[in-house]
Amino acid sequence: MNLLFLMTDQHRVDTLGCYGNPHVATPNLDRLAASGTRFDRFYTPTAICTPARASLLTGQAPFRHRLLANYERNVGYLEDLREDAFTFPEALKERGYQLGLIGKWHGGTSRNAASYGFDGPDLPGWHNPVDHPDYLAYLEERGLPPYKISELIRGTTPNGNQGNLLAARLHQPVEATFEHYLATRAIEHLERYAADGRPFFLATHFFGPHLPYLLPDEYFDMYDPALVELPVSIAETFEGKPPVQRNYSAHWTFDTIPIEVTRKLIAVYWGYVTLIDQQIGRILDRMDELGLTDRTSVFFTADHGEFTGAHRLHDKGPAMYEDIYRIPGIVRIPGQEPQVRNEFVNLTDCTATILELAGCDTKPAVDSRSLVPLVSGEHPEWPAELLAEFHGHHFPYPQRMIRDDRYKLIVNPESVNELYDLRRDPHELSNRYTHPELAPVRRRLSRRLYDLLRERGDNFYHWMTPMYDIGALDYDPTLSSFEKEEPSP
């Protein structure tokens, strides 16, 4: 079985037609979803690039593999996986797989993708490396113009300095964009692997639609900002929430940017999504032409989401909202019927899925569950809750989250905890952690999170002292269910 793994960076799930967006053109990902399994509750283990990607590589949760921060904003954590860490490419290589990774490598500093056996140009870092020799050679060979931008969109930080670059107009034709370059290199690898005949794993990791959104005219102006419905959570007040969220809003300069510019930013983000969709279409079309489709399982997902103004934020950070934790997840295995699944699944689950499809042992991917039974239409026993974690970005900031069908609990040891009723408050505007009527929910989720963390070996459970509802007086294990104590719909 061949394996094609398509991945974007900082990608909102609600920007895809197959996930319900009526405006954004994503025909290629839509047809992939229509011929495969679309997971509606697909989540990242942590909303930050390097730890999430390390979880995919190892099949381990971040607390276990210990690669907890992006090296550009490291706050004292490890910068590379341990030498003895299990990674799925080593298992595939033992099975005779050709291994390729085209695009973003954000998995450490001293070891690159080639260190793990992958072919492809070495493209490290968080943004399009437009000065990379291979990209410059690509432009020169084709007589294409170099990278150049104008009309930079920024806000103003609290100290009066210019904020981070959010978007700009790119003065290059589509064929010169880094996204087109990546798709071209991926197609070249597909052709080489097809000629070889051995099974292959080929990953194509796009750097977008991560900010800054740098697009040529066709995509920068593709969508009318008047089409944009601003996120409901743009009404965020941060009342009763961890102060770090308000501080992050100021850091990302949201309140210094006119609302019409915010609409334009979202419209440009949509254009970025369409640009990437079209490049994915080129890869999928070439796979069809090479006769590989019936022998190749295809994955599409992202490392995490993006705020794009939701909760008056941009980028990601120490706020465990659905905007950045829920991500797209599509898996197509030849011979399996199209469907939509509603189980809670995780980016880390892709690791065991890859291993199973390649005929490898899945047990070393200790925090990963193979999605093959779900894609096959089966109904195995499956967890009713989802866990996620965060360790910090610009500074250490430990968090753990558990969510079930209706509620989400976030434990912030250095601040106030959060509890959201996602049925009544899907945009997570009202922190109900201290509300008396939700005390049974708070106790139940706190105890469940505590137990799951202990079972996994995540020492964060030590933070969950009796003040976090774990004391014997605050939890009655004789109760068979808390459902009777919870509010009615």
Side-chain angles (χ1 to χ4, degrees):
M1 176 70 71
N2 301 315
L3 302 160
L4 177 66
F5 198 93
L6 304 166
M7 191 175 196
T8 50
D9 190 329
Q10 210 154 295
H11 196 157
R12 288 187 67 95
V13 69
D14 61 6
T15 59
L16 300 175
C18 57
Y19 281 96
N21 191 299
H23 304 300
V24 183
T26 54
N28 299 292
L29 290 171
D30 293 351
R31 69 180 164 104
L32 181 64
S35 59
T37 296
R38 189 189 82 218
F39 291 96
D40 265 0
R41 289 175 164 180
F42 201 98
Y43 285 77
T44 184
T46 185
I48 186 167
C49 303
T50 296
R53 291 165 186 270
S55 288
L56 172 64
L57 193 64
T58 62
Q60 297 179 2
F63 82 89
R64 198 183 309 277
H65 64 63
R66 307 301 297 166
L67 195 55
L68 302 177
N70 295 352
Y71 72 82
E72 296 93 346
R73 296 287 186 271
N74 203 325
V75 288
Y77 296 131
L78 295 179
E79 292 196 351
D80 283 284
L81 290 173
R82 299 184 305 273
E83 291 285 347
D84 62 348
F86 167 82
T87 62
F88 78 79
E90 67 181 87
L92 268 59
K93 193 169 185 178
E94 290 176 1
R95 299 282 297 183
Y97 270 73
Q98 304 174 85
L99 300 173
L101 192 153
I102 309 299
K104 180 171 180 173
W105 173 257
H106 209 186
T109 55
S110 65
R111 283 184 283 168
N112 58 12
S115 304
Y116 296 94
F118 291 111
D119 299 326
D122 181 23
L123 300 170
W126 65 272
H127 61 89
N128 283 339
V130 293
D131 56 352
H132 191 277
D134 191 63
Y135 173 62
L136 296 177
Y138 166 87
L139 295 178
E140 185 175 357
E141 289 165 6
R142 292 160 176 80
L144 295 168
Y147 163 90
K148 181 182 178 183
I149 60 174
S150 67
E151 299 180 37
L152 282 62
I153 299 176
R154 303 177 184 269
T156 305
T157 63
N159 63 8
N161 292 334
Q162 285 188 330
N164 291 291
L165 178 62
L166 301 175
R169 190 177 296 274
L170 178 64
H171 296 279
Q172 287 178 302
V174 173
E175 293 76 18
T177 62
F178 210 83
E179 292 71 29
H180 197 281
Y181 153 75
L182 291 176
T184 300
R185 290 289 185 252
I187 288 168
E188 292 168 353
H189 273 66
L190 268 183
E191 293 168 344
R192 187 159 65 250
Y193 292 161
D196 182 285
R198 288 179 294 149
F200 63 81
F201 172 92
L202 177 61
T204 306
H205 292 181
F206 292 93
F207 288 77
H210 193 297
L211 54 76
Y213 322 137
L214 309 177
L215 301 177
D217 294 345
E218 177 183 347
Y219 296 91
F220 194 86
D221 299 320
M222 177 170 281
Y223 295 105
D224 185 348
L227 292 173
V228 173
E229 293 184 17
L230 293 172
V232 173
S233 62
I234 212 164
E236 179 66 78
T237 66
F238 303 113
E239 181 180 355
K241 297 189 176 184
V244 69
Q245 296 184 22
R246 185 188 299 275
N247 294 340
Y248 248 64
S249 177
H251 170 75
W252 282 105
T253 69
F254 179 84
D255 291 337
T256 72
I257 298 172
I259 204 67
E260 61 269 20
V261 176
T262 295
R263 288 185 190 276
K264 178 61 177 178
L265 281 170
I266 295 173
V268 175
Y269 182 79
W270 288 359
Y272 206 168
V273 171
T274 295
L275 171 61
I276 292 172
D277 177 86
Q278 292 179 351
Q279 304 315 307
I280 286 173
R282 293 178 58 219
I283 297 169
L284 295 176
D285 288 347
R286 188 59 181 142
M287 188 173 71
D288 290 343
E289 294 164 0
L290 292 168
L292 296 170
T293 301
D294 292 339
R295 295 178 283 133
T296 304
S297 291
V298 182
F299 297 72
F300 171 73
T301 188
D303 57 356
H304 54 79
E306 151 77 84
F307 280 118
T308 59
H311 295 277
R312 291 164 53 198
L313 293 163
H314 292 287
D315 201 56
K316 66 274 185 187
M320 304 185 86
Y321 293 120
E322 296 287 286
D323 306 271
I324 60 173
Y325 277 84
R326 182 174 171 237
I327 55 177
I330 301 168
V331 181
R332 186 178 73 190
I333 298 176
Q336 301 304 327
E337 293 297 318
Q339 60 177 326
V340 178
R341 300 297 298 228
N342 204 39
E343 290 87 353
F344 286 117
V345 296
N346 192 294
L347 175 64
T348 314
D349 293 329
C350 291
T351 315
T353 311
I354 290 165
L355 291 168
E356 180 171 345
L357 290 170
C360 303
D361 183 7
T362 64
K363 290 193 291 293
V366 295
D367 296 310
S368 178
R369 272 175 191 262
S370 173
L371 301 174
V372 171
L374 301 184
V375 176
S376 301
E378 300 173 17
H379 295 276
E381 184 177 344
W382 202 264
E385 309 97 354
L386 173 91
L387 298 185
E389 59 190 272
F390 187 74
H391 298 266
H393 183 34
H394 297 89
F395 45 85
Y397 195 85
Q399 297 178 292
R400 296 296 185 275
M401 179 258 277
I402 183 171
R403 71 147 295 182
D404 62 15
D405 188 59
R406 178 170 178 177
Y407 298 100
K408 176 190 288 188
L409 171 71
I410 303 163
V411 176
N412 301 299
E414 299 183 22
S415 189
V416 298
N417 295 334
E418 299 164 83
L419 178 64
Y420 299 101
D421 182 343
L422 297 174
R423 189 177 302 166
R424 293 182 172 177
D425 177 26
H427 304 289
E428 302 172 278
L429 285 166
S430 177
N431 179 13
R432 303 179 69 81
Y433 185 81
T434 61
H435 288 219
E437 71 273 18
L438 288 183
V441 179
R442 186 179 71 237
R443 287 196 295 266
R444 173 174 61 81
L445 287 178
S446 295
R447 183 67 201 202
R448 183 63 176 153
L449 177 59
Y450 179 85
D451 289 343
L452 289 172
L453 294 178
R454 286 197 67 176
E455 288 171 15
R456 299 175 100 195
D458 183 348
N459 288 333
F460 186 91
Y461 77 86
H462 288 303
W463 288 96
M464 299 185 66
T465 62
M467 66 186 297
Y468 296 126
D469 295 332
I470 302 306
L473 296 178
D474 207 19
Y475 171 69
D476 185 352
T478 64
L479 292 177
S480 59
S481 172
F482 285 104
E483 292 301 321
K484 295 177 182 178
E485 300 181 50
E486 294 182 11
S488 58

